[in-house]
C-alpha cells in the first residue's frame, strides 16, 4: 500500500503518532533502537530528517538500520536536497509556504524532484507552515513566522496548500519549542481544510499530544522526547494511548 493511503486509512480510526528521527543526532544503531521501541509503543511510522543539512551517508545508514527493525513506513522529512535517500518508502515533498526565500518554497523542490523521480520513492505533497517560536527550522528556512494569535493567516496558508493540491498540511512550532502550536489555531485551521493536518514541535507529554489531537490534529509528531528519554517504548505508548481516546 502506498504510504499516503496508509496514513489516510490509519487516521480514520483515531489520530496517529509519527516519530521524527534526525540522523545527525545519534548513531544509526541508536536510531534503530529508538525506532524499534517506538514501534512497540504504537507509533505508526517514521519521519527522517533535520532542519540543518544532513550528511547523506548518515541518512542512508540510518534509514537502512531502521528498515531492519520495523515494517512501518519510513518517510523522509528533508530540510534541503541533501535529505533524500533511495532506501526510504516516501518523502514529504514539502513547500515552506511562509518562507521569505523562494528557495524553500519551490527552489529546492525543483532540484530534488528529478532525483525523486530517478530513485522512485513516493512523493507526498505537503504544505509546511511555521508558527512562532519556529526554532532552528524557522531560522534556516527564513520563515516569516505566523504569530501565535494570527489564526487567520495560518488558515489562509493551510487553505492555500489545499487549493494547490497538496495532500497534507503541517503546522510546525519548531523542534524543541517551549510551547506547541496553540490549540485554538489548530482548531481554526482544521475547520477550514479537508485534507489531513499534521502538528509538530514542542509536544512533550501525553497531555500535549492529547490536546493537540483533540483540537484537530490527525497526525502528531514528536522528535525531541525520544531523544531525551531512556524509556522510548513507555513514552510513546503513553502518547499513542492518549490518541486512541480521540475520534474526530
Ligand atoms: C520538528 O515537529 C517536529 O520538525 C518535532 O518537534 O522535536 O519538538 O518534538 P520536537
Amino acid at each position: 500500500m502506498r504510504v499516503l493511503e496508509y496514513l489516510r486509512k490509519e487516521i480514520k480510526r483515531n489520530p496517529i503518532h509519527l516519530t521524527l528521527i534526525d540522523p545527525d543526532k545519534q548513531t544509526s544503531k541508536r536510531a534503530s533502537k529508538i525506532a524499534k521501541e517506538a514501534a512497540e509503543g504504537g507509533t505508526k511510522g517514521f519521519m527522517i530528517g533535520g532542519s540543518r543539512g544532513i550528511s547523506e551517508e548518515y541518512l542512508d545508514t540510518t534509514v537502512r538500520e531502521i528498515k531492519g527493525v520495523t515494517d512501518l513506513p519510513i518517510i523522509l522529512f528533508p530540510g534541503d536536497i541533501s535529505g533524500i535517500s533511495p532506501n526510504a518508502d516516501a518523502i514529504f515533498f514539502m513547500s515552506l509556504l511562509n518562507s521569505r526565500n523562494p528557495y524553500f518554497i519551490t527552489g529546492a523542490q525543483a532540484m530534488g524532484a528529478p532525483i525523486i523521480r530517478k530513485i522512485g520513492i513516493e512523493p507526498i505533497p505537503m504544505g509546511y507552515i511555521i508558527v512562532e517560536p519556529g526554532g532552528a527550522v524557522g531560522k534556516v528556512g527564513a520563515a516569516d513566522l505566523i504569530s501565535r494569535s494570527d489564526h487567520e493567516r495560518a488558515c489562509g496558508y493551510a487553505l492555500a496548500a489545499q487549493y494547490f493540491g497538496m495532500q497534507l498540511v503541517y503546522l510546525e512550532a519548531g523542534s524543541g519549542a517551549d510551547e506547541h502550536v496553540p490549540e485554538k489555531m489548530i482548531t481554526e485551521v482544521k475547520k477550514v481544510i479537508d485534507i489531513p493536518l499534521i502538528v509538530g514541535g514542542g509536544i512533550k507529554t501525553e497531555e500535549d499530544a492529547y490536546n493537540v489531537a483533540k483540537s484537530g490534529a490527525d497526525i502528531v509528531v514528536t522528535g525531541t522526547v525520544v531523544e531525551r528519554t531512556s524509556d522510548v517504548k513507555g513514552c510513546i505508548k503513553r502518547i499513542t494511548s492518549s490518541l486512541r481516546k480521540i475520534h474526530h
Side-chain angles (χ1 to χ4, degrees):
M1 194 187 344
R2 307 253 300 168
V3 176
L4 179 59
E5 285 312 309
Y6 161 84
L7 294 174
R8 283 193 186 128
K9 186 169 152 263
E10 288 292 330
I11 61 174
K12 268 192 194 145
R13 247 172 290 161
N14 50 257
I16 61 166
H17 174 266
L18 294 180
T19 303
L20 172 68
I21 295 182
D22 182 340
D24 277 351
K25 294 226 174 122
Q26 65 281 296
T27 62
S28 55
K29 284 271 174 249
R30 165 94 187 126
S32 69
K33 189 168 180 286
I34 290 176
K36 187 167 182 288
E37 289 186 31
E40 288 164 0
T43 199
K44 294 291 182 183
F46 297 94
M47 287 165 46
I48 313 293
S51 51
R52 302 175 196 281
I54 43 178
S55 128
E56 283 174 46
E57 195 191 318
Y58 275 179
L59 176 66
D60 280 336
T61 328
T62 299
V63 171
R64 272 203 303 270
E65 290 275 355
I66 296 177
K67 262 214 146 135
V69 296
T70 174
D71 290 330
L72 291 172
I74 300 178
I75 309 166
L76 300 171
F77 181 58
D80 206 335
I81 54 164
S82 59
I84 305 175
S85 163
N87 301 303
D89 300 300
I91 181 166
F92 281 143
F93 194 76
M94 50 208 273
S95 173
L96 205 181
L97 296 174
N98 61 321
S99 177
R100 289 194 173 91
N101 183 348
Y103 176 79
F104 294 105
I105 307 172
T106 53
Q109 294 77 355
M111 288 198 272
I115 306 173
I116 294 169
R117 180 167 188 260
K118 194 167 158 203
I119 62 181
I121 58 173
E122 176 186 349
I124 302 178
M126 179 172 89
Y128 191 51
I129 303 164
I130 307 188
V131 177
E132 285 175 339
V137 70
K139 289 199 183 67
V140 174
D144 180 10
L145 298 175
I146 310 268
S147 124
R148 295 179 66 80
S149 57
D150 198 347
H151 306 154
E152 220 172 302
R153 192 162 167 249
C155 288
Y157 274 110
L159 201 49
Q162 177 171 322
Y163 291 168
F164 271 131
M166 293 166 174
Q167 300 297 314
L168 300 167
V169 167
Y170 193 129
L171 286 179
E172 169 74 88
S175 185
D178 286 341
E179 288 179 284
H180 58 69
V181 174
E183 287 153 35
K184 178 83 176 131
M185 181 180 283
I186 299 170
T187 305
E188 293 303 312
V189 166
K190 182 65 183 173
K191 264 191 225 162
V192 299
I193 56 170
D194 306 305
I195 53 178
L197 178 61
I198 308 183
V199 177
I203 298 165
K204 300 179 200 79
T205 61
E206 63 264 39
E207 287 83 16
D208 288 345
Y210 180 86
N211 291 336
V212 159
K214 186 80 185 160
S215 306
D218 299 291
I219 300 177
V220 173
V221 178
T222 67
T224 304
V225 282
V226 292
E227 286 164 20
R228 299 205 172 146
T229 181
S230 52
D231 176 21
V232 174
K233 182 178 169 184
C235 168
I236 299 300
K237 206 176 174 139
R238 284 190 291 277
I239 291 177
T240 56
S241 309
S242 77
L243 297 183
R244 274 197 292 272
K245 294 180 198 143
I246 302 168
H247 302 282
H248 286 149

